[in-house]
Each structure stands twice: as structure tokens, then as C-alpha cells.
């Protein structure tokens, strides 16, 4: 089993996927005129907008739910692993994936909003929905839904619970079986409470824990401020093969940086549109911009915090594929959260283990919730056709078993399984959004036209020639018309303008 997973991982994470991720992000950046830079002030403004109806989530809740998936083990253990096998330069390529990937995140989340549906008392959307409605290819949509369920239920959750268990063993000497019982009990209470309970939990926990983690990192970087120029030099020289020690690892730096970057920020992977589609907004681009900013929060803030801590305190190893150590700051220590725990211990002896164990619990646990929500959304998509309510219960049960199982398995196998799940989703989603990018950029152009007139933009897909955006020509159209009337504007020929 382990040999098969490792072989599959090697096939999926070939240079083709690495190149596809980088090239797609670069293409979307150029076509959008680097929307991820131009509209940063607008992104910040939109994060704090109130939700626009009683059914959907607010932009902030959708952001928190997305960050619940993005900010997780990849930000602590994943960064350590990237540095261990790709050298310090891997951190630069994680930054590059974040910068370019923000445009991919914009496109996929905007598409998720355009083609979402109202199902019962919540909104549903994501790649399966926009593939079916935008590309008119139900087979492809089903393929993505099935792959996402497999990734979210079987391949990815285990790495989160496994890392929680490993950190708790290191910090509290707690048996993995006890960790499994605690995690699954809390998880069971939340996921059976529905989307609102998940959103409420993540909107409280994610901002608090992320801020606490960054504050500790800032303190450590501040104490070691004299090393900042040296760390930057090491990162950049290693990234481009100019470092005397890590110069031969440029290929590994790119590969591990992109792989761990995508696993961490999930840009282009197709995960964020599930959560972003649940937000109640007057225009799809609003959530596209919010989700683009979430990539920065994940990688440029949280991942960078981890990278700087371990590099400044020399709490890391660098290993070549043949097992040779190019740098051994921690003898006999396997790559993972222990790097970060020991980095914090350098400044605050005795606090590193407990602090990282608590941080990992919240980061990883909210990521587990994010995986569950993706599985639930894709199951709901399939159930539109099958109409088998028992499927949702079955997904919940299997998901809980997988999470419990993940705490007891070897970490090497768990990480390989997670990479397989992430890679399969990334392939299918990146191809889909490259084929379906048109409506997202039409929506962006429309949004900027309205924004430049100083009004609250609203969306009318029919005036832009966008078909099958059923939600926006139904009840949302009536609500948007009310917004226009309150602002004293008309929508003529697809351009919203003030009354004359």
C-alpha cells in the first residue's frame, strides 16, 4: 500500500503539475493586470462587509471558513518539510506560488459565486457546479466531485490529525489513541451541527490563533533582527542555485516549494470555491477578491513566520534525496512540527512544545473542518441526481473514522496520501478554470466599472452574456434590483450607472 501511494505521488507531482500551477497563476495574473496587487485596498474593505441576507455567510465568515482549510499543518509542519527536502530556497518558491496563486484563487472563487445554487437554507457551489454549468460537461463535474470526496475523506484529513497527535506526544506525552478520541469527539459535535456551527467555530478560532502565532514569530524575529539580512540572502541564493551549500538543490527547492505552497494555500486546487460560494454578496467578484487575499494571509504571513523562526534559530535540517545532510541543525530530528517547537524553545524555554501543540491543534482541526465541508458540498452535488440522503451520513461516519485512523499511522505515508489528494484536485481544477476563465474576467471588468463610479457593484449575468448563472437571475436579481434602487442607479447594456 505504501509503495503504491508513493509511486502514485511521484506520478502526480511530476514537473508537469508544478509547471501547470506556476504557468496558470502567471497567465491569470497577466490577464487580470495583476488584480492581486491592484485591488488590495478593495480586498481589505470587502473582508469586513456585512452579509447581505439571512441565509448565506458574511464575507468574513466565508474567509474564516476558507482559511480554516488553508491555515493548517502545511503552515507549520509543511514549511519545515519543504526546507528539509528543498533547502531554504523552498520558502521563496512558496512565496512565488502564493503571489501567482492569488490570481488563480480569484478566478476559481469568482466562478464558484457565479454558478452557485441555493439548496435548502444555504448556498452551494464549487468546481463541480461551475464545470457542469460553465463547461456543460457533467461527466467532468462528477469526476471532480468524486476525486474531491476521496481527497477530503480519505487522503487529506489524516495528515492533520496525525500532526496533532505527534505534537501532543512531544509536548504532553499524550498517547495517540487518546488524541484520536478527543479529536473525533469534538469533530462529531461540530459537523453534525451543520454549516452555521462550522462557520461560527472557525470565525472565532482562526483569527485568534493566527494572530497569536504571528505575534510569537514577530517576537522571535525581533530578538534575532540582526540575522534578517543573512536569512534573506540564504533564501534567495538557495532559491536560484547561487548558494555555496544549497546551490545544487534548485530543482528540489522549486518542487518542494510549489508542492508545499499549494498544499498550504490551496490556490487553484479547487477547495476555496466550496466555502466562498456560501457567502451572500451582491457581486461574485467580491468573494473572488476576498479569497485572493486569503492566500496572502496563509503563505506570506503564517508560512513566512514559520520559515523565519526555524532559519533564524538554526532549528532545521536539509537532506538530499540520497540521504546526505547538507545542514544538520537538529541531529536525529525528523522534519515536522518539532522544528518549530524547538525554534520557539530557543527564546522561550519550555514553551515551544506546548504552544505549537496548541497552535497545531487549532490550525489542523479547523483544516479538518474545511475538508469535511468540501466533502459535504460535493456529496450534496452528487445527491442532486442520486437523491440518497444516507450518503451524507455515510460521508460523516467514514470521515470520522479516517481522522481517527490518521493519528495512528506513520507520518511519511500520511503526507504522501495528502499530496496525492491535493495533486488530483489541482489537475482537474486548474484545467477547468483555464477553460472557463472568460466569465470570471467579464465579471471583473463589470465590477471595476461599477466600483469606479463609487457605487456598490451588483451582478446581472444576462447583460454580460453569461449563461446558466441561475441563482443571479432568480431571487438574487430581485435583491440586487433593490440595491440599485436604493443607490439611484440603472443597469443599461451591462453597465450600472447613476440615474440621470
Amino acid at each position: 500500500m505504501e509503495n503504491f501511494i508513493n509511486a502514485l505521488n511521484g506520478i502526480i507531482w511530476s514537473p508537469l503539475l508544478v509547471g501547470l500551477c506556476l504557468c496558470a497563476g502567471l497567465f491569470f495574473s497577466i490577464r487580470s493586470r495583476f488584480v492581486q496587487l491592484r485591488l488590495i485596498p478593495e480586498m481589505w474593505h470587502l473582508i469586513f462587509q456585512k452579509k447581505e441576507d439571512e441565509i448565506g455567510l458574511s464575507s468574513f465568515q466565508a474567509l474564516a471558513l476558507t482559511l480554516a482549510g488553508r491555515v493548517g499543518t502545511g503552515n507549520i509542519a509543511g514549511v519545515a518539510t519543504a526546507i528539509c527536502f528543498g533547502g531554504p530556497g523552498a520558502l521563496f518558491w512558496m512565496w512565488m506560488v502564493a503571489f501567482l496563486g492569488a490570481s488563480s484563487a480569484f478566478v476559481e472563487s469568482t466562478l464558484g459565486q457565479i454558478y452557485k445554487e441555493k439548496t435548502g437554507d444555504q448556498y452551494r457551489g464549487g468546481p463541480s457546479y461551475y464545470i457542469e454549468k460553465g463547461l456543460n460537461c457533467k461527466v467532468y463535474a462528477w469526476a471532480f466531485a468524486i476525486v474531491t470526496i476521496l481527497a477530503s475523506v480519505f487522503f487529506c484529513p489524516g495528515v492533520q490529525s496525525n500532526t496533532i497527535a505527534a505534537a501532543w506526544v512531544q509536548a504532553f506525552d499524550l498517547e495517540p489513541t487518546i488524541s484520536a478520541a478527543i479529536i473525533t469527539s469534538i469533530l462529531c459535535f461540530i459537523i453534525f451541527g451543520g454549516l452555521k456551527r462550522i462557520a461560527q467555530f472557525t470565525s472565532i478560532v482562526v483569527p485568534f490563533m493566527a494572530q497569536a502565532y504571528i505575534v510569537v514569530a514577530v517576537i522571535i524575529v525581533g530578538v534575532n533582527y540582526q540575522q534578517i539580512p543573512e536569512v534573506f540572502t540564504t533564501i534567495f541564493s538557495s532559491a536560484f542555485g547561487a548558494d555555496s551549500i544549497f546551490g545544487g538543490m534548485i530543482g528540489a527547492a522549486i518542487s518542494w516549494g510549489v508542492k508545499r505552497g499549494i498544499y498550504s494555500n490551496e490556490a487553484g486546487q479547487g477547495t476555496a470555491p466550496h466555502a466562498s460560494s456560501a457567502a451572500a454578496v451582491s457581486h461574485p467578484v467580491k468573494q473572488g477578491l476576498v479569497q485572493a487575499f486569503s492566500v496572502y494571509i496563509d503563505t506570506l504571513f503564517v508560512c513566512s513566520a514559520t520559515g523565519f523562526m526555524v532559519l533564524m534559530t538554526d532549528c532545521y535540517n536539509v537532506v538530499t534525496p540520497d540521504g546526505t545532510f547538507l545542514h544538520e541543525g537538529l541531529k536525529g530530528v525528523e522534519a515536522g512540527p518539532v522544528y518549530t517547537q524547538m525554534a520557539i524553545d530557543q527564546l522561550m524555554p519550555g514553551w515551544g512544545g506546548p504552544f505549537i501543540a496548541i497552535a497545531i491543534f487549532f490550525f489542523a482541526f479547523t483544516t479538518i473542518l474545511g475538508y469535511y465541508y468540501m466533502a459535504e458540498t460535493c456529496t450534496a452535488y452528487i445527491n442532486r441526481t442520486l437523491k440518497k440522503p444516507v450518503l451524507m451520513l455515510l460521508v460523516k461516519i467514514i470521515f470520522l473514522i479516517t481522522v481517527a485512523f490518521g493519528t495512528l499511522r506513520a507520518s511519511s505515508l500520511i503526507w504522501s496520501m495528502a499530496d496525492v489528494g491535493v495533486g488530483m484536485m489541482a489537475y482537474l481544477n486548474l484545467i477547468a478554470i483555464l477553460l472557463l476563465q472568460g466569465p470570471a474576467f467579464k465579471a471583473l471588468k463589470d465590477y471595476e466599472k461599477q466600483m469606479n463610479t463609487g457605487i456598490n457593484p451588483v451582478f446581472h449575468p444576462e447583460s454580460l452574456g453569461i449563461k446558466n448563472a441561475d441563482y443571479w437571475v432568480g431571487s438574487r436579481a430581485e435583491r440586487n434590483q433593490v440595491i440599485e434602487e436604493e443607490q439611484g442607479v440603472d443597469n443599461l447594456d451591462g453597465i450600472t450607472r447613476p440615474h440621470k
Side-chain angles (χ1 to χ4, degrees):
M1 177 65 176
E2 186 169 355
N3 291 336
F4 171 76
I5 293 295
N6 289 332
L8 186 60
N9 187 20
I11 294 171
I12 291 174
W13 280 100
S14 66
L16 176 62
L17 180 55
V18 173
L20 181 62
C21 294
L22 293 174
C23 290
L26 178 61
F27 176 75
F28 291 142
S29 296
I30 294 172
R31 181 167 183 185
S32 67
R33 295 178 295 121
F34 291 92
V35 66
Q36 68 267 49
L37 284 181
R38 291 189 300 109
L39 296 183
I40 286 179
E42 181 70 1
M43 296 175 189
W44 183 254
H45 166 71
L46 291 170
I47 288 173
F48 302 103
Q49 276 200 338
K50 296 179 180 179
K51 69 176 183 177
E52 300 185 19
D53 64 36
E54 66 283 353
I55 296 177
L57 304 179
S58 68
S59 291
F60 181 77
Q61 286 179 317
L63 172 68
L65 185 55
T66 305
L67 284 173
R70 295 195 198 281
V71 179
T73 298
N75 299 85
I76 300 177
V79 174
T81 305
I83 291 174
C84 180
F85 298 111
L91 189 59
F92 169 83
W93 292 105
M94 291 184 77
W95 293 338
M96 186 58 62
V97 167
F99 174 70
L100 297 178
S103 63
S104 300
F106 166 80
V107 172
E108 64 183 0
S109 292
T110 300
L111 290 172
Q113 274 284 336
I114 290 174
Y115 295 106
K116 71 180 183 181
E117 296 179 356
K118 180 182 177 183
T119 305
D121 61 348
Q122 60 185 287
Y123 301 127
R124 298 282 192 186
S128 295
Y129 292 83
Y130 57 67
I131 290 170
E132 178 183 328
K133 295 184 176 185
L135 293 179
N136 295 311
C137 187
K138 198 165 185 177
V139 173
Y140 192 175
W142 269 64
F144 184 88
I146 292 170
V147 164
T148 301
I149 292 171
L150 288 174
S152 301
V153 174
F154 291 105
F155 289 107
C156 295
V159 74
Q160 308 296 329
S161 57
N162 183 272
T163 307
I164 292 173
W168 283 6
V169 167
Q170 174 74 16
F172 309 120
D173 198 25
L174 196 67
E175 289 294 327
T177 51
I178 298 175
S179 300
I182 294 172
I183 295 167
T184 52
S185 296
I186 301 174
L187 186 62
C188 184
F189 170 75
I190 294 175
I191 67 174
F192 278 94
L195 173 61
K196 294 291 176 68
R197 187 175 293 174
I198 295 173
Q200 289 169 356
F201 181 83
T202 56
S203 62
I204 294 172
V205 169
V206 172
F208 171 76
M209 202 61 242
Q211 289 178 51
Y213 187 75
I214 291 172
V215 166
V216 170
V218 168
I219 292 172
I220 290 178
V221 172
V223 170
N224 297 278
Y225 71 95
Q226 293 177 328
Q227 296 184 43
I228 292 177
E230 181 183 347
V231 168
F232 270 111
T233 300
T234 301
I235 291 172
F236 282 96
S237 61
S238 176
F240 295 100
D243 188 87
S244 59
I245 299 176
F246 310 116
M249 298 190 71
I250 182 170
I254 296 173
S255 177
W256 279 96
V258 172
K259 183 189 297 187
R260 286 291 165 258
I262 292 174
Y263 182 82
S264 175
N265 64 52
E266 302 182 0
Q269 184 183 322
T271 56
H274 297 93
S276 64
S277 299
V281 292
S282 64
H283 200 290
V285 168
K286 290 184 175 182
Q287 263 306 293
L289 293 174
V290 168
Q291 297 305 324
F293 191 76
S294 73
V295 175
Y296 292 156
I297 296 174
D298 172 89
T299 304
L300 298 187
F301 294 160
V302 184
C303 285
S304 295
T306 301
F308 272 80
M309 282 193 292
V310 300
L311 291 174
M312 283 184 164
T313 57
D314 197 38
C315 292
Y316 69 98
N317 300 327
V318 178
V319 186
T320 63
D322 63 4
T324 303
F325 281 90
L326 296 181
H327 180 86
E328 194 172 9
L330 297 173
K331 292 186 178 181
V333 178
E334 186 179 349
V338 178
Y339 284 16
T340 316
Q341 289 175 324
M342 299 189 76
I344 294 176
D345 265 338
Q346 291 284 320
L347 182 64
M348 298 181 287
W351 285 91
F355 177 79
I356 292 300
I358 294 170
I360 281 180
F361 170 75
F362 285 113
F363 284 171
F365 187 80
T366 52
T367 300
I368 291 171
L369 291 176
Y371 286 139
Y372 168 74
Y373 181 68
M374 287 188 291
E376 180 184 281
T377 300
C378 288
T379 303
Y381 170 79
I382 290 174
N383 255 343
R384 292 157 74 235
T385 302
L386 297 183
K387 301 187 184 305
K388 300 288 186 183
V390 71
L391 282 179
M392 197 67 77
L393 177 61
L394 189 62
V395 165
K396 285 183 170 70
I397 293 171
I398 296 175
F399 186 82
L400 291 169
I401 293 172
T402 302
V403 170
F405 177 76
T407 63
L408 308 175
R409 294 296 299 171
S411 61
S412 58
L413 174 62
I414 295 297
W415 275 102
S416 294
M417 290 175 64
D419 285 337
V420 167
V422 169
M424 290 192 301
M425 292 176 64
Y427 262 122
L428 293 175
N429 185 64
L430 284 169
I431 292 170
I433 62 177
L434 283 167
L435 294 173
L436 189 57
Q437 61 188 277
F441 289 109
K442 286 182 180 179
L444 176 61
K445 184 178 180 181
D446 174 63
Y447 184 86
E448 291 194 82
K449 281 183 178 179
Q450 297 184 57
M451 184 183 72
N452 291 336
T453 66
I455 63 173
N456 180 18
V458 296
F459 187 58
H460 295 286
E462 66 277 11
S463 64
L464 301 176
I466 298 175
K467 300 179 180 179
N468 298 325
D470 302 328
Y471 164 77
W472 296 97
V473 297
S475 58
R476 183 70 237 187
E478 297 174 4
R479 192 176 295 273
N480 277 355
Q481 187 175 3
V482 171
I483 294 175
E484 289 176 323
E485 290 173 354
E486 290 175 347
Q487 297 184 104
V489 298
D490 293 313
N491 186 278
L492 304 171
D493 302 321
I495 302 176
T496 303
R497 54 176 68 83
H499 283 320
K500 292 183 179 178

